[in-house]
């Protein structure tokens, strides 16, 4: 006990991370004395907490906008006052670092008076200005090609998958758009979800992961042939799976596993090959430590291979057993594949883009193991008040509350890593993408835990609110973080950067579109749930959703436009790779 107290005194953040979930869980115990909604349902802990979480997202957006606007105003004021300033002072005030000062052999000088203070604190971000790096010198051309082809394919699937999603969203407003069977909602909806899951997000994650395992292991990839085989298998599974879905050939009602088993087998083989390649690359690393990112990458691959096997075993796909497996598969797919792997990418790309170490290795390890512990049993919270055993539902709720530990640990680690580097917001959009992704990681995951409580489940489940929650997580967390990683690494391995104006257009279209989409579905879903509770006819809940579905279509349109801008930015980054970049011969 004495050692624990001393540890908490030395690591107060660790103590808060461990204590917060139990405080929230205890408050919830008092807030859920009844399953039936009371008159003051807005004061329910889950609903009130969700409103507060959405306010946090708005606050972060306002801060990013403030930084960007203030930078533009400062530039405008400086440019307008140059005529009244002394010529010498004017030229000095306009001076900026080139970005390669720390990488040259020129003796250090300060003729311009740029240095205002000297610090010897090791955590001080004194090298944040270093933009031009020599990472390309360490990137073999084979690795560069693998990374760019994975990302290029994923960009294609992003455009295709969200085009389908855009079309499906418009069907809510104009259901009579077509009468063609292979364009029906029931066939196109799984095409949209499976394409963005297994095509866009998965391929981007693996492409980014190849750079991480090679870089953090200080070695080359075990086998580029395996990397290409994985690329072909995953793309083939998405292509054939979508053709089958549009033809009406599917796996039944299992959400996110609509691909028939031969198609899913292709994807699983791609993951197995990727795991072997990652594992053998890390095994022959030239440093003693295994960097924390690799824990997450290998963990995500192992869990997903196991998940794909369990999700398609035929002898457990009947009756209530199928329901339990569906909850397990659906939530594990998001949490143990996309979330776990993406968090591993953040642990490398966030500190490397800021040119500083991760804040706490210990918090990273805590978040990893608690993620492995709590996420495995929360899938049943999608089936509260179902015929499943009550104890199983309760376990899912308790483990959902336990997810506060890895979420708070990870969020704290990432925000503390960003501490002192907020000026990066005004220089590029890499940090804003990371910041929005991290905030949504906290907001979306915490809101998911609130939604697992019985009262909020009673109001929101089976409504459009779940659509908002899924986009808050898969889009707000996964996609924003993947975009941040792409913008952080691709210019460094190609030598070309997109214009910040174009990246800014991408960022704001995606953020505003997501926010409009998310809020409309949350509000509409809440009204729909309350309509059901009040016993009104089902058709009334459909009619009341019409204005919210219009805003869903508007938000989705903005999001799709942002994807087109991202594809154009990616084209600019890879279309003409600078010649003369030296590469390692190893």
């Amino acid at each position: 006990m004495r050692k624990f107290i001393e540890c908490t005194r030395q690591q107060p953040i660790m103590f808060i991370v461990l204590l917060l979930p139990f405080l929230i869980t205890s408050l919830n115990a008092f807030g859920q004395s009844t399953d039936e909604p009371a008159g003051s349902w807005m004061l329910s802990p889950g609903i009130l907490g969700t409103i507060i979480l959405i306010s946090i997202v708005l606050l972060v957006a306002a801060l990013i906008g403030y930084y960007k606007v203030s930078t533009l105003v400062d530039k405008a004021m400086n440019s307008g006052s140059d005529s009244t300033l002394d010529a010498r002072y004017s030229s000095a005030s306009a001076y900026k670092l080139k970005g390669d000062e720390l990488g040259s052999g020129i003796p250090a000088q300060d003729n311009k008076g740029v240095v205002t203070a000297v610090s010897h604190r090791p955590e001080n971000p004194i090298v944040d200005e270093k933009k031009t790096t020599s990472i390309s010198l360490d990137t073999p051309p084979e690795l560069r090609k693998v990374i760019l082809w994975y990302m290029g394919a994923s960009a294609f699937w992003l455009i295709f998958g969200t085009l389908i999603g855009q079309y499906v969203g418009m069907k809510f407003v104009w259901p009579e758009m077509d009468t063609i069977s292979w364009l029906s909602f029931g066939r196109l909806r799984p095409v949209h979800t499976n394409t963005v899951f297994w095509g866009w997000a998965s391929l981007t994650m693996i492409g980014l992961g190849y750079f991480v395992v090679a870089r953090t292991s200080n070695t080359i990839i075990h086998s580029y042939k395996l990397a290409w085989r994985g690329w072909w298998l995953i793309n083939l599974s998405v292509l054939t799976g979508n053709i089958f879905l549009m033809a009406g050939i599917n796996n039944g009602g299992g959400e996110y596993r609509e691909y028939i088993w031969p198609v899913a087998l292709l994807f699983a083989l791609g993951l197995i090959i990727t795991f072997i390649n990652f594992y053998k690359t890390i095994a022959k690393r030239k440093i003693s430590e295994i960097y924390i990112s690799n824990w997450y990458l290998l963990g995500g691959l192992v869990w997903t291979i196991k998940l794909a096997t369990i999700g398609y075993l035929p002898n457990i796909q009947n009756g209530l057993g199928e329901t339990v497996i569906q909850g397990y598969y659906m939530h594990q797919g998001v949490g143990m594949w996309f979330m776990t792997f993406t968090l591993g990418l953040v642990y490398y790309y966030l500190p490397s883009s800021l040119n500083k170490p991760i804040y706490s290795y210990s918090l990273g390890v805590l978040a990893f193991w608690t993620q492995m512990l709590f996420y495995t049993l929360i899938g049943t919270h999608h089936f509260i008040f179902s015929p499943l055993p009550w104890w199983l539902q309760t376990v899912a709720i308790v483990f959902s509350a336990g997810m506060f530990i890895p979420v708070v640990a990870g969020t704290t680690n990432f925000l503390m890593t960003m501490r002192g580097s907020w000026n990066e917001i005004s220089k590029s959009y890499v940090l804003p993408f990371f910041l929005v992704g991290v905030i949504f990681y906290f907001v979306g995951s915490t809101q998911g835990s609130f939604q697992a409580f019985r009262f909020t489940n009673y109001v929101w489940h089976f409504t459009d609110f779940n659509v908002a929650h899924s986009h808050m997580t898969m889009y707000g967390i996964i996609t924003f973080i993947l975009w941040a990683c792409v913008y952080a690494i691709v210019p460094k391995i190609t030598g070309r950067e997109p214009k910040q104006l174009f990246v800014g257009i991408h960022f704001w279209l995606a953020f505003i579109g997501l926010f409009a989409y998310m809020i409309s579905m949350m509000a509409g879903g809440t009204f729909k749930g309350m309509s059901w509770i009040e016993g009104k006819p089902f058709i009334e809940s459909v009619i009341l959703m019409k204005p919210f579905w219009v805003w869903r279509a508007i938000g989705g349109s903005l999001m799709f436009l942002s994807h087109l801008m991202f594809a154009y930015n990616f084209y600019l980054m890879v279309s003409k790779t600078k010649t003369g970049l030296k590469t390692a011969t190893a």
Side-chain angles (χ1 to χ4, degrees), residues 77-111:
M77 292 180 64
N78 288 334
S79 62
S81 59
D82 280 348
S83 58
T84 62
L85 293 175
D86 177 78
R88 181 178 177 183
Y89 177 76
S90 177
S91 61
S93 65
Y95 176 78
K96 292 184 178 179
L97 294 174
K98 296 178 180 179
D100 59 354
E101 287 79 3
L102 295 173
S104 68
I106 303 174
Q109 296 181 0
D110 187 30
N111 297 331

Side-chain angles (χ1 to χ4, degrees), residues 140-336:
E142 298 90 345
L143 177 58
R144 185 186 304 123
K145 186 176 180 181
V146 166
I147 294 171
L148 296 182
W149 274 77
Y150 268 88
M151 292 182 184
S154 70
F156 168 80
W157 290 121
L158 174 66
I159 299 298
F160 175 78
T162 51
L163 176 63
I164 298 296
Q166 173 71 7
Y167 188 76
V168 168
M170 294 171 67
K171 277 178 172 284
F172 282 93
V173 185
W174 300 290
E176 70 283 354
M177 286 179 64
D178 64 72
T179 57
I180 304 173
S181 61
W182 54 272
L183 291 180
S184 61
F185 180 89
R187 296 190 186 183
L188 287 185
R189 199 267 178 176
V191 171
H192 163 65
T193 55
N194 285 276
T195 299
V196 294
F197 272 34
W198 317 123
W200 150 246
S202 298
L203 284 170
T204 307
M205 287 158 43
I206 294 173
L208 291 166
Y210 268 111
F211 186 86
V212 173
V213 295
R215 189 74 176 170
T216 57
S217 301
N218 195 24
T219 186
I220 61 174
I221 296 299
H222 167 69
S223 171
Y224 291 109
K225 288 184 179 180
L226 289 180
W228 286 112
R229 288 172 184 170
W231 186 91
W232 280 108
L233 284 169
I234 294 175
N235 279 284
L236 185 60
S237 69
V238 177
L239 176 62
T240 56
N242 287 340
I243 292 174
F244 284 137
L245 288 179
M246 296 182 77
I249 303 171
N250 56 65
N251 190 44
E255 193 172 19
Y256 308 146
R257 54 174 175 158
E258 291 90 351
Y259 286 168
I260 57 177
W261 72 262
V263 174
L265 180 61
L266 293 176
F267 186 86
L269 290 175
L271 290 188
I272 293 172
I273 288 175
T274 303
F275 171 76
I276 294 172
N277 220 5
F278 279 24
Y279 176 79
K280 291 192 174 182
T281 301
I282 296 171
K284 64 178 183 181
R285 66 191 181 279
K286 297 179 181 178
I287 55 178
S288 59
E289 293 274 339
I290 297 179
Y291 186 62
I292 186 66
S293 286
N294 298 325
W295 289 41
Y296 282 86
L297 303 189
L298 292 181
L301 285 165
V302 169
W303 270 107
T304 310
I305 293 169
K306 184 181 296 185
L307 173 67
T309 304
I310 294 176
Y312 280 86
L313 288 175
N315 58 337
I316 53 176
Q317 304 299 323
N318 297 311
L320 290 179
E322 195 276 339
T323 303
V324 175
I325 294 301
Q326 173 58 29
Y328 174 81
Y329 176 91
M330 177 173 54
H331 232 295
Q332 295 298 292
V334 174
M336 303 306 288

